[in-house]
Amino acid sequence: MDNNCFTPPRSKTLLAVTEISLASLTAFQLLLSGNSEIWQIIALSFGVSVSAIIIATPVALIVSFTLAFFQFPLRRTLIALFNTFMSIPAVIIGLTLYLLLSRSGPLGHLGLLFTSKAMVIGQILLCFPLLVAMSHASFQAADRRAWETAITLGAKPWRAFFTLMHELRFGLIAAVVAGFGRIIAEIGCSMMVGGNILHATRNIPTAIALETSKGEFAQGIALGMVLLVLSLSLNAGVSIFQGKGELRA
Amino acid sequence: MNNLIEFHDIRIRLAGKPLLNITKLSVPMHQCTLLTGRNGSGKTTLFKILSGLLKPDHIRVHYQGLQMNWRQAKPYIQRDVIYLHQQAYLFDASVADNIAYGLRRAGEKKAAAQRKVIQALDWADLTHLAHRPAKQLSGGEKQRVALTRARILAPRLLLLDEPTASMDGEAKQQTSLLLQRLKAEGVSIIISSHEAHTVENIADQHLTLDNGDIRPLKQSAAHDKVTVLNPLKNTP
Ligand SMILES: Nc1ncnc2c1ncn2[C@@H]1O[C@H](COP(=O)(O)OP(=O)(O)OP(=O)(O)O)[C@@H](O)[C@H]1O
Ligand SMILES: [Mg+2]
């Protein structure tokens, strides 16, 4: 934007700093004024990620409990597989899902590509292995006596499972928070299967990446601040919660 | 003598090796049985089978006039038999909530359960600990809470896995007192232990688990009034 090649470097820096300060100011204004576009993006982001975590968590808890408490063929293979899937880049999952959902793909007739539903599916796939791997570690390390005590005191297996989860709540909540952290900030998958369509599939990460590149700094900074505050408060919340847990033990 | 429950042909293999092959185990009504056996002889495994926590390869259960296989017997034994771990496990909740656990699972309303818990705490002299987080208790206190938590469910048979291991003299005495009360209330008890003498004065029969099978050792002290009065005489 600065075409004057004779401008000395110092004033160039000054200009950038001024621009960022101005943009940050605008960012606050955008957030505080309740700018509908920006809040829509934030709402979509949360809607998609919260739906994904709500759908993925119960299934992941049952799967990880089964992997930890029962012996069956392929158990170890499955555990290794979830541990591997945990580190698959989001963009690879996005690409795979894109190919499945695209018009000529096997699931093309569902018409899900570039919808928020596709983003939810993508984020479920993204957080599921992480949820399973982390909660499996908790269940695996759990004291078997907790389960046996619940059963011998007359709890039905289903109820004993809830008791066990309550005993492990610190580890399990850490797993859910980590899973949520992975998907709320991921960009690769949302971009591929969502397409960053305003009012439809534009979430915080895609907006920051794509709109900033078009010079929309203020919006990018505002959304970045939201993500930052979120991740800081989630981490602080978990630390406080787990600190309480340590005191009990 | 009347038997509460009889177990026949208990067989289980663990890690490919036969561990238990018990022809018959009778649990007399209202009595306390002491079960001794070397480390690894299978006492814990046997208790988990008897309480319905572990499926054996074979078992026949004779209970309340019924001859049952494992699957048929499981609901009965899970209702009437309670297993207590060597080191009691208390849930991450208050002592009172721990004691209420089984009642709540049995569908008891909160207020009714609370009333029973207050009585039970009094029974075990644990009232002062009611609101303490259970995880903070000492081993001996945990064991007494676990006994109270079991008793409140009115079980017919209690299986205690080395209840006095790693306890000092006073804790042993307090546990032993509760066991005596339980027995007087008509609960049948089997206690596994290395140290026969700590509980021998409440045991009516003494069995030993050896080579996978059970055999009687000797008539125990409770039948012999003189030795009850002088427990020191029991020390082998
Ligand atoms: N899940 C299992 N898989 C394989 N082997 C097992 C299992 N559980 C127990 N065992 C083995 O079975 C044997 C009996 O164990 P158990 O715990 O019943 O003995 P115990 O008489 O209670 O011993 P202790 O006096 O030390 O408590 C041991 O050799 C143990 O290693
Ligand atoms: Mg044992």
Side-chain angles (χ1 to χ4, degrees), chain B residues 75-137:
Chain B
Y76 290 93
I77 59 184
Q78 284 197 335
R79 185 192 62 199
D80 291 343
V81 182
I82 295 182
Y83 168 72
L84 279 93
H85 290 92
Q86 187 161 343
Q87 247 118 39
Y89 184 90
L90 299 187
F91 300 116
D92 189 1
S94 71
V95 167
D97 285 346
N98 263 278
I99 294 174
Y101 184 86
L103 290 176
R104 301 284 288 142
R105 300 296 80 81
E108 193 103 29
K109 291 273 172 298
K110 208 165 187 162
Q114 206 164 10
R115 247 175 284 125
K116 288 190 181 176
V117 167
I118 290 170
Q119 286 169 5
L121 284 164
D122 186 48
W123 173 85
D125 254 335
L126 288 170
T127 309
H128 59 293
L129 297 177
H131 301 294
R132 283 269 292 280
K135 295 279 186 198
Q136 290 175 357
L137 301 188

Side-chain angles (χ1 to χ4, degrees), chain B residues 39-40 42-45 83 86 161-162 192 194:
Chain B
N39 285 121
K43 302 182 294 295
T44 299
T45 308
Y83 168 72
Q86 187 161 343
D161 208 343
E162 313 211 20
S192 87
H194 292 303

